[in-house]
Amino acid sequence: MKRSYKIVFGTEYESIDDPPHPLSYPIRHAKERHWQSSHNQISEQIFDGRYAYLYAYEYWISKSTDVTIEVYMNDLHVIYPLLNEVEIWGERLDEAFRFELCPSEGAYFYVASGHYRLHLPIGHHILVGFVVDAGMFRPPAIQQFSFLKHLVQAKKEASTTSLKSVGFRVGPITVKYLCILFSILNPNTLNNEHILLKHLIFLIDLSRFKLLGDTDINNHLAVRCRQLLDIMILQRGARALIKEVAAVFLTDAQQLSREFHKFYGIRMKDYRNLLLLDYIEQLIVEHDKLGTTAHEVGFSGPSEMNRFIKKMTGLTSALFKQQLEQRRDKKSN
C-alpha cells in the first residue's frame, strides 16, 4: 500500500543514524528512521505490504512537543498504544476533530486528508498502527464489525470528515500477537503477503472481542469464547490456549471452562481438540510431508502431532493421512 501521510518536524529536530535509545519492539525488515532534538528522540519503523501498511513510532519525550502530520490520502487506520504512560491527544488543524490515545486502549480511525497535530507529553510512548484496506469489510463480514460501519462508509464515500471508533483493550495478548507478526515479516519470501494479511485479519478479529463498554447481551459468554477459539485455532493451531481466550474476556480459565461445559455440554478442552483435529484434516492431505503439516498446524514437530492424532483417533499420523486421502479419492470418483 502507498504511504498516505508525512510527518513534519520542527527545525529543532535533526535526522540521526545512531539513536541513543534502542527500539523496544523491533520490526523485522522494517525501514527505520530516527530524529533527535536537544530533549527528545523519535524513531519510526515502517513496513509497506500489499494489503496493509504497518508503522510504529516510539517517542522518548523529556520536553513536551507537537508533531505535525500531513495526510494526503483518505484511509482507514487501526492504532495500538503499546506504551503510553499518559494520554496522547491530537487534533485536525483544518476541521473540528480531536482525538485521544489512552494507555492500553486502541481504536480505529477514518483519517481524511488534511493537516493534523499530535501532542506528545513528557514520557515514553509507543504507537503501532496499520493502514487497512476498507474493502476487507465487505458484506456479510461487516455485520460482525458494526462498530466500524460508519468508518467504512466514510472511506467508501471519500468523506472529508475524520472519525474515530469506540476503543478496544490493548493488553498482553494483543502485544504478544503483534510481536509475533513483527518477528516473522520477510519481504524476501513469497508467502510474506499471506502472513501479513493473515495476522492482520486475526488482530482485527481479536479487537472486536475486546471493545470497551461492550454490552452485547445477545451472546452468552460461552458463545463469544467459542467464536474466539474458532479463530485462534485457525491462527495458532496447537498453540491456541484456553487461558488466552479467558484472558481476552478478563475471566479465569477454569471458570470459563465451567461456563462453556454448562452451555454446550462439552468440555472446552475437548472442543478445542476437536477443532484442532479438524484443522489438521484440512491440511494434512495438502502436504506430502507430515513435518510440513505439523509446522503449519503449530506443533513442535511430527512426533508431537503424531501423539495428538494417536490420542484423538487411535491412528498414527501416516495412517490418518492415508485414510483421509482414500476417502477423498472415493468422493472424487
Side-chain angles (χ1 to χ4, degrees):
M1 297 180 74
K2 292 183 179 180
R3 185 177 181 129
S4 59
Y5 65 91
K6 179 175 70 172
I7 298 178
V8 181
F9 295 99
T11 55
E12 71 272 21
Y13 285 91
E14 63 177 357
S15 178
I16 56 173
D17 296 324
D18 188 20
H21 297 288
L23 295 166
S24 299
Y25 297 99
I27 300 175
R28 190 179 184 211
H29 293 290
K31 295 180 181 178
E32 292 183 26
R33 291 194 298 173
H34 310 272
W35 299 269
Q36 188 177 46
S37 71
S38 56
H39 299 282
N40 306 323
Q41 177 188 321
I42 298 175
S43 293
E44 173 191 75
Q45 299 181 84
I46 58 172
F47 189 94
D48 187 358
R50 180 177 179 184
Y51 301 109
Y53 187 91
L54 167 62
Y55 54 85
Y57 291 92
E58 189 159 4
Y59 309 96
W60 292 266
I61 307 298
S62 298
K63 181 179 179 181
S64 62
T65 187
D66 292 339
V67 175
T68 300
I69 304 171
E70 296 180 6
V71 176
Y72 42 85
M73 289 176 59
N74 304 328
D75 261 318
L76 187 65
H77 294 242
V78 54
I79 297 178
Y80 300 86
L82 297 193
L83 183 64
N84 280 24
E85 298 174 344
V86 293
E87 179 183 281
I88 293 175
W89 62 266
E91 61 183 347
R92 186 169 169 181
L93 300 178
D94 49 352
E95 187 180 278
F97 174 68
R98 180 185 169 96
F99 60 92
E100 292 78 34
L101 296 169
C102 302
S104 303
E105 181 181 324
Y108 292 81
F109 293 81
Y110 168 69
V111 183
S113 59
H115 290 76
Y116 297 77
R117 176 173 60 193
L118 185 65
H119 178 72
L120 299 168
I122 294 173
H124 183 193
H125 320 292
I126 300 175
L127 298 178
V128 172
F130 295 88
V131 180
V132 180
D133 182 359
M136 295 169 60
F137 301 98
R138 294 187 298 270
I142 188 62
Q143 300 305 319
Q144 298 178 324
F145 298 90
S146 57
F147 67 102
L148 294 181
K149 282 185 177 180
H150 62 305
L151 304 186
V152 174
Q153 187 65 27
K155 168 63 175 175
K156 182 178 178 180
E157 297 173 353
S159 172
T160 59
T161 301
S162 299
L163 300 168
K164 180 185 177 185
S165 75
V166 64
F168 58 87
R169 289 178 287 108
V170 177
I173 302 298
T174 301
V175 174
K176 172 184 175 178
Y177 286 105
L178 282 169
C179 289
I180 289 172
L181 174 59
F182 296 166
S183 68
I184 60 179
L185 288 174
N186 187 353
N188 302 315
T189 61
L190 288 175
N191 66 341
N192 180 71
E193 298 301 334
H194 165 73
I195 290 172
L196 176 56
L197 183 59
K198 180 182 178 183
H199 279 73
L200 176 58
I201 290 172
F202 173 74
L203 287 164
I204 291 171
D205 265 322
L206 184 62
S207 70
R208 69 183 171 94
F209 292 101
K210 305 179 77 173
L211 296 179
L212 296 168
D214 187 12
T215 56
D216 186 3
I217 59 175
N218 295 321
N219 280 339
H220 190 280
L221 175 61
V223 175
R224 303 190 71 200
C225 288
R226 177 176 176 171
Q227 293 172 347
L228 179 55
L229 186 56
D230 291 350
I231 292 166
M232 292 190 74
I233 286 291
L234 293 178
Q235 176 68 20
R236 296 288 285 163
R239 296 191 182 99
L241 304 175
I242 292 174
K243 66 179 182 180
E244 288 192 351
V245 175
V248 168
F249 292 103
L250 304 178
T251 188
D252 176 74
Q254 291 184 346
Q255 175 63 30
L256 177 60
S257 296
R258 287 193 290 269
E259 291 288 331
F260 192 93
H261 185 267
K262 185 187 302 183
F263 192 87
Y264 286 110
I266 184 175
R267 293 194 310 163
M268 195 171 183
K269 180 180 180 181
D270 293 339
Y271 177 74
R272 178 254 185 206
N273 289 343
L274 288 172
L275 281 179
L276 181 56
L277 183 65
D278 183 65
Y279 187 37
I280 294 170
E281 284 187 18
Q282 296 173 41
L283 296 179
I284 200 168
V285 294
E286 296 180 6
H287 302 302
D288 293 331
K289 296 182 178 180
L290 294 173
T292 304
T293 303
H295 174 75
E296 189 167 343
V297 182
F299 290 103
S300 60
S303 296
E304 185 184 13
M305 184 177 72
N306 186 70
R307 287 194 296 271
F308 175 81
I309 293 175
K310 185 84 171 180
K311 178 181 178 181
M312 295 293 293
T313 68
L315 305 174
T316 64
S317 296
L319 188 55
F320 182 67
K321 174 179 168 65
Q322 182 182 353
Q323 289 191 1
L324 290 172
E325 289 172 338
Q326 290 173 348
R327 192 185 309 165
R328 181 190 60 184
D329 293 340
K330 286 181 180 180
K331 287 183 179 181
S332 62
N333 293 331

